[in-house]
């Protein structure tokens, strides 16, 4: 069996720079579900962009350095990580902006319908933007848990995450899509807590639209650009609201009216943030380089880390994440009394995790750089602090 | 007179890395109206962000490195360059996204009114987004030249650029604001072609909202983040559509509904692109460092460059930019027969400018790094090619 089909946890650790613990050693960095550690290749790509491109080439870089094509070139690379055939993903802007555009574009695919159903426990930005879009478009916003949604003939859009940002619960996208499509609704999935830590099969699952971020498990850097997916079957009628000039069919013709670019290119909005994008360009090599394991392997290694963590926890620990592999995302959440205080105390011991109010600690298992020892250390330190 | 109150053109040239001409020397880089050259301090700041912040500190950088506060910290710095007192500007996202949000927020300041008046010659993204916003909000879109707009009692919003992106004509913002306010409308100004090359007095002019980009005369790098200004008098009722989680009053409380942050902070949308933002952080020192000239000085030097260029042009040159200083922006546009061919031919001679279809060449006069010799060389090379 080739080494890259069943990678050990921490298989690419030497390709990363890990944040430092207070004693100067590498931290046990379990915050990759919030901000991934830095791949050395991201730094290399960024420096090349700064020195060999922007500085040396200037404005000609849009053509000569391929900047103009980057949102769709990176889109295809990210697409390959979420089961999307080429030509269905663009990279750019923030997840919030992509969500806003995708929600309206999704609603416009079902013009006769009046309801937007969104996960009641969705990440805040997803909830806030669903409310704003409902207000702008006149849709009625209904909320429900992803496993309890009952789309009906009025439902235009069903908006769900792949993984709950708080509890780490992984939702059954196949069942969600099936129920939505039976009712004639389209499905918009937020992949932020899934992309890069597990396989996602957007095309095979018949998902309609998706968005996600690249600064968590894809390690693109703080505030790295988001991505948006729209299934090819919708491209001909895709009608996005953020009609920026770079999504125009012929942007430099600067014509009177906005003529959408063919296909997913019409989801491009303004001038893309090239420095942030080219850091991501370097970072993606962790997942699609010649020696990279496939995402099934990455997922197996991440689950093994979670298992090692769970096994090392005291029996009394209040784990809110489902233990079953098929229902677990990339992070494990533990309910504690003083989440913020414990988070800070762990950091002082060199264990970096994050806290979500009011009472959750989240431990993220990014397999490329987290080892089984890291997972056990985190459990042991938590146990010591709680006692 | 201190040296920094009347700077020579090219006063900060050694602080920049200029793109290379084909022969390996520094290019005559007159494309700063499209993408500014690279300030050495931008590279320094970016490397510090990559090595000392993201790599070393990880997710704690949002607090420990001040990332979270950056959109408003940079907002105040950009604000100082456009005549805005602190607390009225945020930096982030692209100009297109900021425009979309600002157009809707502006319309909501005048709920009883039905018309959006926008410059018919506005930059394409401004025109395309005005049309999209009109469709979403039900406003009627009317277009006119900024000096011929006649706002009336139905006019909710007047949207204009400070400088025409094609012709380089500088509009009379004071008159535009006065006419709009007399009619009870609010004014949204796109400062993309003005910020960093001339003083702008948003507060003094009573402008209501403004947006702009930072990759032209502010030299923030390709696709550097945009900014948005809203006058403090509107903050209490400011109602933006892009209700991302970072614009929440208490973002980490992750409450059910979106409660806007006090003041301009509610214009924040998603997670900000920190690498691009911190490059801009370094770049801004050109304008607000201890030895920086004020913008009146920068403006005088830029106009001197334009004058030197115009004087060195053949009499027959078809200059479309007004020659009068008060009506001229930062670039000068010349009508030619084959704009793209000439642009390429100039580049082969080491003179970097840009072409705008169908027939314009634009010469940008960014005073920090462009010298009078550069301006004359460009005119001479153009004359040689045209003859």
């Amino acid at each position: 069996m080739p080494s890259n089909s069943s990678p050990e946890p921490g298989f690419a650790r030497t390709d990363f720079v890990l944040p430092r613990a207070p004693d100067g050693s590498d931290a046990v960095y379990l915050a990759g579900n919030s901000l991934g550690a830095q791949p050395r290749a991201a730094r290399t790509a960024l420096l090349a962009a700064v020195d060999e491109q922007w500085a040396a080439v200037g404005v000609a870089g849009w053509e000569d350095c391929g900047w103009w094509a980057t949102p769709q070139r990176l889109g295809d690379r990210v697409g390959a990580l979420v089961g999307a055939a080429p030509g269905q993903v663009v990279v750019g802007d923030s997840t919030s902006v992509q969500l806003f555009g995708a929600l309206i574009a999704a609603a416009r695919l079902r013009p006769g319908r009046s309801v937007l159903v969104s996960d009641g426990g969705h990440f805040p930005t997803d909830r806030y933007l669903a409310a704003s879009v409902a207000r702008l478009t006149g849709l009625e916003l209904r909320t429900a848990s992803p496993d309890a949604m009952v789309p009906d003939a009025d439902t235009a859009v069903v908006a769900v995450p792949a993984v709950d940002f708080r509890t780490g619960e992984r939702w059954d996208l196949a069942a969600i899509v099936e129920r939505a499509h039976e009712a004639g609704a389209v499905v918009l999935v937020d992949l932020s807590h899934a992309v890069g830590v597990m396989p996602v099969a957007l095309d095979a699952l018949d998902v309609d639209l998706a968005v996600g971020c690249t600064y968590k498990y894809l390690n693109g850097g703080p505030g790295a650009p988001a991505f948006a997916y729209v299934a090819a079957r919708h491209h001909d009628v895709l009608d996005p609201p953020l009609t920026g000039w770079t999504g125009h069919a012929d942007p430099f013709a600067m014509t009177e009216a906005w003529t959408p670019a063919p296909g997913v290119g019409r989801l491009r909005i303004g001038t893309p943030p090239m420095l942030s994008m080219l850091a991501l360009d370097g970072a993606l090599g962790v997942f699609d380089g010649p020696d990279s394991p496939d995402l099934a392997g990455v997922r197996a290694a991440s689950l093994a880390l979670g298992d090692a963590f769970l096994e090392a926890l005291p029996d009394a620990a209040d784990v809110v994440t489902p233990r079953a592999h098929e229902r677990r995302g990339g992070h494990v959440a533990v309910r504690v009394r003083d989440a913020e205080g414990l988070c800070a105390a762990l950091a002082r011991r060199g264990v970096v995790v994050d806290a979500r109010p009011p009472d959750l600690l989240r431990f993220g298992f990014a397999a490329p750089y987290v080892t089984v020892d890291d997972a056990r250390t985190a459990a042991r330190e938590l146990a010591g602090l709680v006692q």
Side-chain angles (χ1 to χ4, degrees), chain A residues 134-348:
Chain A
R135 176 178 165 202
L136 267 171
T137 59
L139 288 174
E140 176 195 341
L141 176 60
R142 290 184 197 157
T143 57
S145 174
D147 55 358
M149 288 176 172
V150 187
D152 62 23
D154 293 329
T155 308
V157 182
V158 166
V160 295
V163 173
D164 187 280
F165 81 103
R166 244 188 280 242
T167 66
E169 177 157 9
R170 176 174 179 257
W171 300 111
D172 182 352
L173 287 184
I176 290 166
V177 171
E178 193 183 343
R179 283 196 304 272
H181 284 183
E182 272 172 16
V186 296
V187 177
L188 167 57
V189 182
D190 186 335
L191 296 171
S192 293
H193 288 83
V195 59
V197 75
M198 63 179 64
V200 178
L202 291 179
D203 287 349
L205 286 169
D206 242 11
V207 169
D208 300 284
L209 301 94
V211 301
C213 94
T214 68
Y215 52 76
K216 299 178 186 288
Y217 298 110
L218 292 184
N219 313 302
F227 65 91
Y229 159 93
V230 178
R233 65 183 175 280
H234 296 304
H235 287 187
D236 284 351
V237 293
L238 186 64
D239 183 12
L242 293 163
T243 54
W245 75 293
T246 72
H248 191 286
D250 186 4
F252 290 96
M254 302 188 161
T255 58
E256 187 59 30
W258 189 74
T259 306
V264 80
R266 70 189 61 181
L267 288 188
R268 294 177 64 155
I269 308 170
T271 306
M274 287 313 304
L275 300 182
S276 291
M277 293 192 95
L278 291 171
L280 173 63
D281 197 20
L284 287 175
V286 170
F287 294 95
D288 63 10
D291 300 322
S292 301
D294 61 23
L295 278 163
V298 174
R299 166 71 166 162
S302 174
L303 287 169
L305 288 166
D307 287 345
F309 173 77
L310 290 167
E311 282 158 20
L313 279 183
D315 291 342
D318 186 1
V319 176
V320 302
T321 310
R323 288 174 188 254
H325 284 184
E326 68 274 14
R327 293 186 54 213
R328 200 200 303 166
H331 69 272
V332 169
V334 181
R335 182 167 289 125
V336 294
R337 225 168 306 174
D338 174 17
E340 293 201 8
L342 276 174
C343 184
L346 283 168
R348 287 193 292 274

Side-chain angles (χ1 to χ4, degrees), chain A residues 62-87:
Chain A
W62 287 108
E63 195 162 323
D64 298 353
C65 304
W67 295 345
W68 189 266
T70 302
Q72 283 160 275
R73 179 174 64 79
L74 293 188
D76 284 346
R77 287 178 74 187
V78 172
L81 303 178
V82 291

